[in-house]
mmCIF file of all heavy atoms in Angstrom:
data_model
loop_
_atom_site.group_PDB
_atom_site.id
_atom_site.type_symbol
_atom_site.label_atom_id
_atom_site.label_comp_id
_atom_site.label_asym_id
_atom_site.label_seq_id
_atom_site.Cartn_x
_atom_site.Cartn_y
_atom_site.Cartn_z
ATOM 1 N N SER A 33 52.374 -222.352 53.869
ATOM 2 C CA SER A 33 52.482 -220.893 53.771
ATOM 3 C C SER A 33 51.817 -220.341 52.513
ATOM 4 O O SER A 33 51.504 -219.156 52.444
ATOM 5 C CB SER A 33 53.955 -220.473 53.788
ATOM 6 O OG SER A 33 54.586 -220.783 52.541
ATOM 7 N N GLU A 45 73.179 -208.956 45.434
ATOM 8 C CA GLU A 45 74.215 -207.933 45.526
ATOM 9 C C GLU A 45 73.547 -206.586 45.715
ATOM 10 O O GLU A 45 72.526 -206.301 45.086
ATOM 11 C CB GLU A 45 75.077 -207.920 44.259
ATOM 12 C CG GLU A 45 76.203 -206.906 44.274
ATOM 13 C CD GLU A 45 77.133 -207.033 43.082
ATOM 14 O OE1 GLU A 45 77.152 -208.114 42.468
ATOM 15 O OE2 GLU A 45 77.837 -206.052 42.782
ATOM 16 N N GLY A 46 74.090 -205.782 46.606
ATOM 17 C CA GLY A 46 73.490 -204.483 46.855
ATOM 18 C C GLY A 46 74.464 -203.555 47.545
ATOM 19 O O GLY A 46 75.640 -203.872 47.720
ATOM 20 N N SER A 56 74.481 -215.091 49.202
ATOM 21 C CA SER A 56 73.403 -215.930 48.686
ATOM 22 C C SER A 56 72.529 -216.379 49.840
ATOM 23 O O SER A 56 73.021 -216.907 50.840
ATOM 24 C CB SER A 56 73.960 -217.142 47.925
ATOM 25 O OG SER A 56 74.820 -217.904 48.739
ATOM 26 N N HIS A 68 57.657 -211.508 49.601
ATOM 27 C CA HIS A 68 58.731 -212.488 49.675
ATOM 28 C C HIS A 68 59.077 -212.782 51.130
ATOM 29 O O HIS A 68 58.834 -211.959 52.019
ATOM 30 C CB HIS A 68 59.993 -211.982 48.973
ATOM 31 C CG HIS A 68 59.872 -211.890 47.480
ATOM 32 N ND1 HIS A 68 59.079 -210.950 46.854
ATOM 33 C CD2 HIS A 68 60.444 -212.633 46.483
ATOM 34 C CE1 HIS A 68 59.172 -211.102 45.544
ATOM 35 N NE2 HIS A 68 59.994 -212.106 45.299
ATOM 36 N N LYS A 80 70.387 -220.190 70.637
ATOM 37 C CA LYS A 80 71.077 -219.062 70.021
ATOM 38 C C LYS A 80 70.176 -218.248 69.093
ATOM 39 O O LYS A 80 70.098 -217.010 69.203
ATOM 40 C CB LYS A 80 72.289 -219.585 69.241
ATOM 41 C CG LYS A 80 73.044 -218.538 68.441
ATOM 42 C CD LYS A 80 74.210 -219.194 67.707
ATOM 43 C CE LYS A 80 74.970 -218.186 66.859
ATOM 44 N NZ LYS A 80 76.110 -218.817 66.152
ATOM 45 N N TYR A 81 69.475 -218.898 68.174
ATOM 46 C CA TYR A 81 68.741 -218.160 67.152
ATOM 47 C C TYR A 81 67.430 -217.558 67.645
ATOM 48 O O TYR A 81 67.069 -216.445 67.223
ATOM 49 C CB TYR A 81 68.571 -219.021 65.897
ATOM 50 C CG TYR A 81 69.902 -219.230 65.230
ATOM 51 C CD1 TYR A 81 70.592 -220.437 65.337
ATOM 52 C CD2 TYR A 81 70.523 -218.184 64.548
ATOM 53 C CE1 TYR A 81 71.841 -220.602 64.781
ATOM 54 C CE2 TYR A 81 71.775 -218.333 63.982
ATOM 55 C CZ TYR A 81 72.432 -219.551 64.093
ATOM 56 O OH TYR A 81 73.677 -219.697 63.542
ATOM 57 N N ALA A 106 60.757 -204.006 47.807
ATOM 58 C CA ALA A 106 59.924 -204.142 49.005
ATOM 59 C C ALA A 106 60.663 -204.989 50.024
ATOM 60 O O ALA A 106 61.418 -205.906 49.665
ATOM 61 C CB ALA A 106 58.575 -204.778 48.656
ATOM 62 N N LEU A 120 61.083 -224.203 62.854
ATOM 63 C CA LEU A 120 61.023 -222.934 62.145
ATOM 64 C C LEU A 120 60.854 -221.809 63.164
ATOM 65 O O LEU A 120 59.974 -221.861 64.025
ATOM 66 C CB LEU A 120 59.842 -222.937 61.177
ATOM 67 C CG LEU A 120 59.741 -221.787 60.182
ATOM 68 C CD1 LEU A 120 60.893 -221.828 59.181
ATOM 69 C CD2 LEU A 120 58.418 -221.877 59.435
ATOM 70 N N ALA A 122 60.401 -217.662 63.880
ATOM 71 C CA ALA A 122 60.002 -216.379 63.304
ATOM 72 C C ALA A 122 59.521 -215.463 64.421
ATOM 73 O O ALA A 122 59.239 -215.912 65.529
ATOM 74 C CB ALA A 122 58.910 -216.574 62.262
ATOM 75 N N ALA A 131 55.161 -221.794 63.143
ATOM 76 C CA ALA A 131 56.477 -221.308 63.565
ATOM 77 C C ALA A 131 56.555 -221.140 65.081
ATOM 78 O O ALA A 131 55.552 -220.874 65.742
ATOM 79 C CB ALA A 131 56.780 -219.971 62.899
ATOM 80 N N GLN A 132 57.763 -221.312 65.615
ATOM 81 C CA GLN A 132 58.015 -220.963 67.012
ATOM 82 C C GLN A 132 58.192 -219.453 67.064
ATOM 83 O O GLN A 132 59.073 -218.896 66.412
ATOM 84 C CB GLN A 132 59.273 -221.652 67.529
ATOM 85 C CG GLN A 132 59.665 -221.223 68.942
ATOM 86 C CD GLN A 132 60.955 -221.867 69.408
ATOM 87 O OE1 GLN A 132 61.283 -222.991 69.021
ATOM 88 N NE2 GLN A 132 61.691 -221.162 70.238
ATOM 89 N N ALA A 168 87.310 -208.633 71.808
ATOM 90 C CA ALA A 168 86.034 -209.060 72.397
ATOM 91 C C ALA A 168 86.185 -210.455 72.999
ATOM 92 O O ALA A 168 85.733 -211.452 72.449
ATOM 93 C CB ALA A 168 84.942 -209.052 71.336
ATOM 94 N N TYR A 194 84.698 -219.325 67.350
ATOM 95 C CA TYR A 194 84.611 -218.602 66.076
ATOM 96 C C TYR A 194 85.130 -217.170 66.197
ATOM 97 O O TYR A 194 84.860 -216.340 65.334
ATOM 98 C CB TYR A 194 83.161 -218.571 65.595
ATOM 99 C CG TYR A 194 82.545 -219.935 65.452
ATOM 100 C CD1 TYR A 194 81.653 -220.415 66.401
ATOM 101 C CD2 TYR A 194 82.859 -220.757 64.374
ATOM 102 C CE1 TYR A 194 81.091 -221.678 66.285
ATOM 103 C CE2 TYR A 194 82.307 -222.014 64.249
ATOM 104 C CZ TYR A 194 81.421 -222.473 65.199
ATOM 105 O OH TYR A 194 80.871 -223.719 65.084
ATOM 106 N N TRP A 203 97.083 -218.346 71.467
ATOM 107 C CA TRP A 203 96.189 -219.503 71.600
ATOM 108 C C TRP A 203 95.556 -219.592 72.985
ATOM 109 O O TRP A 203 94.484 -220.161 73.152
ATOM 110 C CB TRP A 203 96.947 -220.781 71.312
ATOM 111 C CG TRP A 203 97.360 -220.899 69.882
ATOM 112 C CD1 TRP A 203 98.632 -220.823 69.396
ATOM 113 C CD2 TRP A 203 96.514 -221.056 68.763
ATOM 114 N NE1 TRP A 203 98.638 -220.929 68.038
ATOM 115 C CE2 TRP A 203 97.343 -221.094 67.608
ATOM 116 C CE3 TRP A 203 95.137 -221.187 68.591
ATOM 117 C CZ2 TRP A 203 96.844 -221.241 66.325
ATOM 118 C CZ3 TRP A 203 94.633 -221.345 67.302
ATOM 119 C CH2 TRP A 203 95.473 -221.370 66.198
#
Side-chain angles (χ1 to χ4, degrees):
S33 74
E45 181 173 339
S56 57
H68 291 70
K80 175 181 178 180
Y81 292 104
L120 190 66
Q132 174 183 329
Y194 304 103
W203 292 110

